[in-house]
Amino acid sequence: DQQVKQNSPSLSVQEGRISILNCDYTNSMFDYFLWYKKYPAEGPTFLISISSIKDKNEDGRFTVFLNKSAKHLSLHIVPSQPGDSAVYFCAARMSGNTPLVFGKGTRLSVIA
Amino acid sequence: KAGVTQTPRYLIKTRGQQVTLSCSPISGHRSVSWYQQTPGQGLQFLFEYFSETQRNKGNFPGRFSGRQFSNSRSEMNVSTLELGDSALYLCASSLWGTNTGELFFGEGSRLTVL
């Protein structure tokens, strides 16, 4: 039973355009949502997070949107840069020191 | 500040053997989590330790075990290796009890089982 789903295994975007990565979840008890980026041969690195009491969080070129009623969140990267090419993981957790649950990831390729 | 350190980075074992992986967390972090990453399966949670106690456990068979030492360093062990255990094993450390629970990952130990 996959609680966090990233239905697009891959995405290609032109440099300078917007990248939109999507994530759906099934557990309504999730309170916090995080995005991680992973380059080959490296561990995932934290990118941005959002609490369930918010619907948007912005950090530079990265914005995460949360739609609780649809159990859906998205990561927007604008403008996209070649260095953004990586695998992006969506993750979620409930409150109370529970483990992070990850999606399967979306491979983003930004084409120059 | 040094990051999460995992050793060894790469290793090859044969079926039936056992393996031990080590993880040193970021200084001051007392919580250590382990994840298995395989192609097409994303990151699957193995277990989490805090203050030398296992606090959370994922859905893996008993062949997968771990422990944490008083200096917060952690090890995980896989016994009676199977081909399907070939994966990248990621360790992550964090501050226990943070609101967002942000994890800081090491580079992983890539295990190949032949």
Side-chain angles (χ1 to χ4, degrees):
Chain A
D1 176 32
Q2 202 182 349
Q3 298 184 72
V4 178
K5 301 177 186 179
Q6 293 178 258
N7 293 319
S8 299
S10 62
L11 174 68
S12 288
V13 172
Q14 266 197 319
E15 180 180 6
R17 307 294 285 265
I18 185 171
S19 294
I20 300 176
L21 294 98
N22 294 303
C23 177
D24 297 297
Y25 61 95
T26 58
N27 190 339
S28 58
M29 300 295 289
F30 284 143
D31 269 346
Y32 304 103
F33 304 87
L34 301 86
W35 285 93
Y36 279 79
K37 178 168 77 171
K38 186 180 186 298
Y39 293 118
E42 294 183 13
T45 54
F46 170 74
L47 199 54
I48 192 169
S49 66
I50 188 167
S51 162
S52 60
I53 62 173
K54 295 186 175 182
D55 54 18
K56 177 182 173 182
N57 188 26
E58 194 171 349
D59 184 1
R61 296 185 298 114
F62 303 91
T63 303
V64 57
F65 295 92
L66 175 63
N67 182 334
K68 283 191 68 178
S69 60
K71 293 193 181 70
H72 176 83
L73 65 155
S74 60
L75 174 68
H76 292 212
I77 307 172
V78 56
S80 301
Q81 300 173 352
D84 296 330
S85 297
V87 177
Y88 288 79
F89 291 98
C90 172
R93 73 186 300 158
M94 296 181 286
S95 58
N97 295 315
T98 55
L100 263 183
V101 179
F102 285 82
K104 293 186 178 182
T106 296
R107 181 177 301 278
L108 173 66
S109 299
V110 180
I111 304 160
Chain B
K1 197 176 196 181
V4 176
T5 305
Q6 291 187 246
T7 57
R9 290 290 313 279
Y10 302 92
L11 65 167
I12 300 173
K13 295 285 187 177
T14 57
R15 279 181 299 175
Q17 286 187 310
Q18 67 92 27
V19 66
T20 299
L21 308 177
S22 179
C23 173
S24 293
I26 291 171
S27 177
H29 285 189
R30 295 174 61 195
S31 175
V32 173
S33 301
W34 289 90
Y35 286 82
Q36 180 196 65
Q37 185 189 9
T38 53
Q41 289 301 315
L43 278 71
Q44 295 188 289
F45 175 73
L46 281 155
F47 23 68
E48 179 179 22
Y49 288 87
F50 174 75
S51 288
E52 303 176 64
T53 302
Q54 188 179 88
R55 303 289 176 157
N56 291 296
K57 188 177 189 305
N59 292 328
F60 278 81
R63 300 186 297 107
F64 292 81
S65 62
R67 59 178 176 168
Q68 187 181 34
F69 302 94
S70 58
N71 62 358
S72 295
R73 191 176 70 85
S74 177
E75 288 181 348
M76 67 162 282
N77 183 278
V78 188
S79 62
T80 321
L81 284 166
E82 300 176 1
L83 295 179
D85 297 333
S86 295
L88 180 68
Y89 290 88
L90 291 160
C91 168
S93 72
S94 65
L95 294 168
W96 183 259
T98 56
N99 282 340
T100 61
E102 178 187 337
L103 299 179
F104 296 83
F105 284 89
E107 294 179 318
S109 292
R110 182 164 295 281
L111 169 65
T112 301
V113 182
L114 302 176

